[in-house]
Amino acid sequence: MTDISEDDVRTRAYALWEAAGCPDGSDEEHWLEALRQLKDEAAVAGISPKIAKTSKLSVVKNDPVSEPAPKKRTRTV
């Protein structure tokens, strides 16, 4: 089994976006197309890809994935 990393998808999506003329607002379309292409290539090679489950938005916008805020503890008397 092979992993399709976020970097793989990001690199492919960016190439697709550039090839399309760098249109605004098409990030999700290019991300999904890149993911489909990478899955298809793995299938043709006879590999069952494992895809990391992450927030696509944080990757597309180049924002770091932040840790969840710690839960507040309530004081009981």
Side-chain angles (χ1 to χ4, degrees), residues 68-73:
K71 294 183 178 182
K72 292 183 180 180
R73 294 174 48 181

Side-chain angles (χ1 to χ4, degrees), residues 29-55:
E29 174 187 337
H30 290 108
W31 182 271
L32 294 173
E33 177 60 20
L35 188 56
R36 186 195 62 77
Q37 287 180 6
L38 291 168
K39 284 181 183 178
D40 287 351
E41 289 171 10
V44 168
I47 300 169
S48 176
K50 178 182 170 191
I51 300 166
K53 301 264 184 195
T54 58
S55 170

Side-chain angles (χ1 to χ4, degrees), residues 3-5 8 11-12 21 24 28 30-31 34 37 40 42-43 49-51 53-55 57 62-63 69 75 77:
D3 291 345
I4 297 175
S5 72
D8 295 336
T11 301
R12 178 69 61 95
D24 287 335
E28 185 172 358
H30 290 108
W31 182 271
Q37 287 180 6
D40 287 351
K50 178 182 170 191
I51 300 166
K53 301 264 184 195
T54 58
S55 170
L57 272 183
N62 286 332
D63 293 336
R75 192 172 180 184
V77 180

